[in-house]
């Protein structure tokens, strides 16, 4: 398969001794037909020469942002716009820190900041530097920004010590990238309907009933699905989040009734539907036309149920369509989620953990259990929402 043929890969190399492994990696990419452009930090040029890398990559290597002799500068936005992916390997603790905190003091770090494509980061350093809380915190920040970390291996290090921090072997880095491009096509031609965020149910013209959902989980699924080639319709309740992938069409709604209307319209054309929205279960039947005035007495609000969108779609589901719901439970999680799965005629239910501090509403990370209608339950780890989104889509692709 010509998976890598014509793929545009930018490799950023920093000053870790493991830089000596990168020429081998470049050869593997070139052999598979990829186009490779190399960026280096000045420190990296002490370890492997730009001449070696430009010969192997068949392209000039960029190190400096400014060229004193000619008065020119290298356009750092250019490679960011050109690349299908950027791979930073090896990345030192120093550059990791700069990337995590937006410091752009050389061509490599400015290119990272202007990347529009998926970014892979493969750290390499001595074990004490790797295990230092600041490095671990920087890795966490970078993951939460949606970067994909290629974790270092445990083994012999250049210092003579042994432990975590050893750059992942070039063959394995190569397969991570190759698998990424295989996956990229995996939802091509499929229409996905994804709901996200809260709904706001009006009480009067200025007040509403809502919840703390940020929409991050649903937006992460939409981004990941679009990256896999799907045509995504994202129906979102009020959320500050933005979508940047051209494969996503966003429909903004506010109430459960509006969400139902849009879902019913889009549903017949959809192959896979993922309801991650935190839809209000109740609404005020007739919101006041005017702002409710304060009185000295109590105020009673009578609430009526909203339509259950997922259950409505479950009744309309045709053969071949996949319907996925979310569940948030405080007790008997798996049993309650299973009950929802069968009552709403779902193919998969994603059970959110409430017991982990980093999971659930408003966080950048999440931890979920995937419960299919048929087959084995899969319990996930605490991960960035983007990684959880990827796990959910991998699971759906398997049951499809
Ligand atoms: N859901 C929906 N329409 C509603 C309420 C929920 O489509 N009016 C969807 C959610 O998007 C989610 C799933 O149903 O995918 C489960 O939501 P949850 O609130 O956990 O369950 P409910 O069925 O509302 O039950 P309960 O609140 O009693 O647990």
């Amino acid at each position: 398969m010509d998976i890598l043929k014509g793929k545009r890969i930018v490799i950023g190399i920093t000053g870790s001794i493991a830089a000596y492994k990168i020429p081998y990696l470049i050869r593997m990419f070139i052999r598979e037909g990829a186009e490779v452009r190399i960026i280096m930090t000045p420190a990296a040029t002490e370890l492997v020469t730009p001449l070696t890398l430009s010969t192997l990559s068949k392209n000039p290597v960029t190190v400096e942002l400014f060229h004193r002799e000619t008065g020119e500068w290298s356009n750092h936005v250019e490679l960011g716009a050109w690349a299908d992916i950027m791979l930073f390997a090896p990345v030192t603790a120093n550059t990791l820190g700069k990337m995590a905190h937006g410091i752009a003091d050389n061509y490599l770090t400015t290119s990272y900041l202007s990347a529009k494509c998926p970014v892979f980061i493969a750290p390499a350093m001595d074990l004490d530097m790797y295990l230092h809380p600041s490095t671990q915190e920087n890795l966490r920040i970078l993951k939460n920004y949606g970067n994909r970390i290629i974790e270092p291996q445990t083994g012999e290090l250049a210092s003579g010590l042994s432990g975590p921090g050893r750059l992942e072997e070039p063959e394995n880095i190569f397969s991570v990238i190759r698998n990424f491009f295989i996956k990229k096509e995996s939802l091509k031609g499929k229409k996905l309907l994804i709901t996200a965020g809260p709904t706001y149910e009006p009480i009067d013209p200025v007040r509403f009933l809502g919840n703390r959902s940020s929409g991050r989980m649903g937006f992460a699924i939409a981004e990941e699905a679009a990256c896999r080639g799907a045509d995504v319709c994202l129906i979102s309740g009020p959320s500050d989040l933005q979508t940047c992938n051209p494969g996503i069409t966003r429909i903004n709604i506010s109430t459960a009734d509006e969400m139902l209307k849009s879902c019913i319209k889009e549903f017949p054309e959809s192959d896979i539907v993922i309801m991650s929205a935190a839809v209000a279960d109740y609404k005020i039947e007739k919101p006041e036309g005017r702002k409710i005035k304060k009185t000295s007495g109590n105020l009673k609000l009578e609430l009526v149920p909203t339509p259950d969108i997922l259950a409505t779609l479950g009744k309309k589901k045709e053969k071949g369509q996949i319907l996925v719901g979310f569940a948030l439970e405080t007790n008997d999680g798996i049993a309650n989620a299973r009950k929802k799965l069968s009552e709403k005629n779902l193919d998969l239910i994603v059970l959110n953990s409430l017991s982990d501090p980093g999971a659930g509403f408003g966080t950048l990370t999440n931890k979920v259990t995937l419960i299919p209608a048929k087959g084995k339950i899969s319990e996930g780890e605490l991960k960035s929402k983007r990684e959880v989104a990827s796990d959910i889509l991998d699971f759906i692709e398997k049951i499809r």
Side-chain angles (χ1 to χ4, degrees):
M1 273 199 292
D2 284 342
I3 298 295
L4 292 178
K5 193 155 196 281
K7 295 292 184 297
R8 296 188 291 224
I9 300 174
V10 169
I11 304 181
I13 307 172
T14 78
S16 151
I17 184 66
Y20 81 87
K21 296 181 176 175
I22 304 305
Y24 185 52
L25 181 62
I26 297 170
R27 285 195 66 176
M28 285 192 266
F29 284 133
I30 294 288
R31 216 178 282 147
E32 291 259 334
E35 284 182 53
V36 178
R37 302 278 296 269
I38 306 291
I39 315 172
M40 302 174 85
T41 60
T45 62
E46 303 285 338
L47 297 151
V48 48
T49 72
L51 181 63
T52 310
L53 302 175
S54 64
T55 310
L56 291 175
S57 67
K58 306 177 198 291
N59 271 309
V61 170
T62 317
V63 181
E64 302 294 344
L65 205 42
F66 306 106
H67 307 278
R68 214 165 273 143
E69 340 52 84
T70 57
E72 285 174 304
W73 66 293
S74 301
N75 183 350
H76 58 277
V77 189
E78 191 192 331
L79 282 185
W82 175 83
D84 290 320
I85 64 141
M86 278 196 178
L87 164 66
F88 293 91
V91 178
T92 56
N94 179 45
T95 298
L96 214 54
K98 290 182 191 174
M99 289 169 134
H101 296 282
I103 296 169
D105 61 347
N106 59 38
Y107 188 75
L108 182 139
T109 46
T110 47
S111 297
Y112 162 69
L113 272 188
S114 47
K116 289 197 180 65
C117 57
V119 172
F120 294 77
I121 297 173
M125 63 200 75
D126 216 23
L127 83 159
D128 295 324
M129 294 173 89
Y130 179 68
L131 294 176
H132 194 279
S134 63
T135 306
Q136 291 302 313
E137 179 62 10
N138 289 335
L139 280 167
R140 197 187 61 77
I141 292 172
L142 288 168
K143 268 190 207 171
N144 286 341
Y145 288 155
N147 297 293
R148 293 152 164 94
I149 308 295
I150 303 178
E151 301 289 348
Q153 291 303 304
T154 298
E156 196 189 318
L157 300 164
S159 60
L161 297 171
S162 182
R166 190 183 151 92
L167 180 72
E168 178 58 280
E169 290 307 323
E171 294 83 355
N172 295 341
I173 297 179
F174 178 78
S175 36
V176 168
I177 304 298
R178 199 169 181 280
N179 284 341
F180 167 80
F181 282 111
I182 292 174
K183 245 187 206 174
K184 218 172 134 103
E185 307 280 299
S186 62
L187 288 175
K188 212 176 172 130
K190 296 283 166 207
K191 271 197 80 122
L192 263 76
L193 174 60
I194 297 165
T195 65
T199 63
Y200 284 180
E201 309 302 328
I203 298 171
D204 67 16
V206 290
R207 302 178 179 100
F208 60 85
L209 290 171
N211 60 65
R212 295 185 200 282
S213 167
S214 63
R216 274 199 193 94
M217 195 61 246
F219 276 63
I221 300 172
E223 289 286 342
E224 180 65 27
C227 277
R228 295 180 184 204
D231 178 2
V232 178
C233 173
L234 175 65
I235 301 178
S236 174
S239 166
D240 291 336
L241 300 176
Q242 305 292 327
T243 50
C244 53
N245 196 306
I248 303 174
T249 308
R250 177 170 174 177
I251 299 174
N252 290 324
I253 55 85
S254 185
T255 65
D257 286 314
E258 289 165 5
M259 186 173 272
L260 175 72
K261 210 170 144 205
S262 295
C263 283
I264 288 180
K265 185 163 172 269
E266 300 296 329
F267 187 65
E269 300 296 311
S270 307
D271 300 297
I272 299 168
V273 179
I274 306 173
M275 278 287 302
S276 71
V279 186
D281 285 332
Y282 292 93
K283 63 176 180 178
I284 311 280
E285 190 169 23
K286 285 202 179 72
E288 293 292 332
R290 292 178 179 193
K291 187 179 166 216
I292 301 170
K293 284 303 224 186
K294 182 169 64 188
T295 62
S296 55
N298 293 349
L299 172 72
K300 272 198 185 143
L301 293 176
E302 167 115 351
L303 303 180
V304 296
T306 55
D308 191 316
I309 304 169
L310 196 52
T312 310
L313 301 182
K315 287 194 190 111
K316 293 177 183 292
K317 190 170 81 172
E318 300 274 350
K319 205 166 170 272
Q321 281 184 309
I322 297 228
L323 190 55
V324 180
F326 272 68
L328 189 66
E329 307 289 343
T330 49
N331 52 294
D332 299 329
I334 294 190
N336 279 326
R338 275 222 163 99
K339 195 161 168 269
K340 280 180 195 166
L341 177 90
S342 81
E343 282 174 359
K344 301 192 188 193
N345 189 23
L346 309 180
D347 300 283
L348 172 69
I349 193 151
V350 181
L351 174 62
N352 273 305
S353 161
L354 266 184
S355 48
D356 286 274
F361 280 6
T363 59
L364 296 175
T365 48
N366 205 7
K367 185 174 172 192
V368 299
T369 304
L370 305 179
I371 308 170
K374 289 184 219 129
K376 270 211 321 228
I377 291 185
S378 158
E379 208 162 318
E381 305 281 311
L382 187 69
K383 295 177 179 179
S384 71
K385 286 192 171 164
R386 183 61 187 257
E387 287 173 292
V388 173
S390 172
D391 289 349
I392 294 171
L393 290 177
D394 283 349
F395 201 91
I396 293 172
E397 286 185 30
K398 265 190 232 137
I399 60 173
R400 184 150 69 90

